[in-house]
Amino acid sequence: MKGLLYKDFQIIVTGYRKNALLVLVLYTVMAYAMQLPFLLYALIFLLGLYIVSTLSFDEASHWDAYVRTLPVPAGAVMGAKYLLGLLLMLAGTVLTTVLVLLMPAGSGRPAPVEFLSSCAAVFCIALLYSALSFPLSLRYGAAKARTSVLAAVLALGCGVYLVYWFAFRHGISLPDLSGLGTCAVAAFLIGLLILSLAAYGASWIISTRIYLRKEF
């Protein structure tokens, strides 16, 4: 497992080191200069995106055909990617937290409850995106998977918009998290985190089964 983790980590470092540094500097400068701390939350999602891209590198280098000749279970091959993805998203969360805490007072730094809620929500979104992208990339290829995931995200966004539009037109009151207490918001976010982690774990099982059946 250590070797698999190191291999995928080296792919990300080699392929995205400059991109990650550029995004980090650009978003940090924009967040501080324009007093827009929410830009820093993108770092959580960005680091989660990198791990899915390792599937494209594996395909281009014929890694999967080679690893099939080794005594390495398919669950470990996919498990290393999922574990590294989780670690990268956690690292993005820590990095975002440090950068937000370093923002001077009066520069748009969010309140602790607001910040923790936003971080948790973005972390869950990143988990769900990866959970959806991994099996689709294995089944249909990275290019088609990106299109499918984008279509799913757009469909979800349109669905939410239509629900609020329908509720507004018919005078229906929808739940508003801003009116809930801290404990209620915390309970909601913990529930969302548990569901996201469960979906991430289920995605690993599905991806492992697809990987076992796939011919390289």
Side-chain angles (χ1 to χ4, degrees):
M1 178 66 78
K2 290 182 180 179
L4 293 171
L5 286 170
Y6 179 76
K7 187 269 295 183
D8 285 330
F9 182 73
Q10 283 299 110
I11 288 176
I12 294 173
V13 170
T14 303
Y16 296 104
R17 179 176 62 247
K18 293 181 180 179
N19 174 266
L21 182 60
L22 176 63
V23 172
L24 173 62
V25 173
L26 179 62
Y27 276 49
T28 301
V29 170
M30 291 176 60
Y32 278 57
M34 303 172 65
Q35 298 185 6
L36 298 174
F38 69 87
L39 291 175
L40 298 172
Y41 302 143
L43 297 175
I44 303 172
F45 191 80
L46 177 68
L47 292 179
L49 287 179
Y50 288 153
I51 188 60
V52 180
S53 67
T54 60
L55 294 173
S56 299
F57 284 91
D58 290 348
E59 184 178 350
S61 63
H62 305 288
W63 157 259
D64 297 296
Y66 169 72
V67 79
R68 287 291 181 91
T69 66
L70 303 176
V72 180
V77 175
M78 296 309 305
K81 295 183 182 296
Y82 276 80
L83 177 58
L84 182 58
L86 182 61
L87 292 175
L88 287 174
M89 285 181 269
L90 288 172
T93 303
V94 173
L95 179 59
T96 298
T97 301
V98 172
L99 291 174
V100 170
L101 290 177
L102 289 176
M103 294 184 74
S107 60
R109 186 172 62 188
V113 174
E114 178 186 352
F115 168 71
L116 291 175
S117 300
S118 299
C119 267
V122 175
F123 182 77
C124 290
I125 292 172
L127 279 175
L128 293 173
Y129 182 90
S130 297
L132 185 60
S133 295
F134 266 118
L136 288 176
S137 296
L138 285 170
R139 182 66 179 83
Y140 301 108
K144 291 183 179 179
R146 281 193 293 268
T147 303
S148 301
V149 173
L150 179 60
V153 172
L154 289 175
L156 179 61
C158 290
V160 173
Y161 171 79
L162 288 174
V163 168
Y164 274 87
W165 176 82
F166 180 84
F168 176 76
R169 288 292 300 270
H170 294 82
I172 301 174
S173 299
L174 294 175
D176 184 6
L177 288 179
S178 63
L180 299 178
T182 303
C183 293
V185 173
F188 172 80
L189 291 174
I190 290 173
L192 180 61
L193 179 60
I194 292 173
L195 289 175
S196 300
L197 288 171
Y200 197 69
S203 176
W204 167 64
I205 295 173
I206 295 171
S207 294
T208 300
R209 292 180 178 178
I210 295 175
Y211 191 79
L212 276 171
R213 298 173 183 174
K214 190 172 182 179
E215 295 183 1
F216 299 100

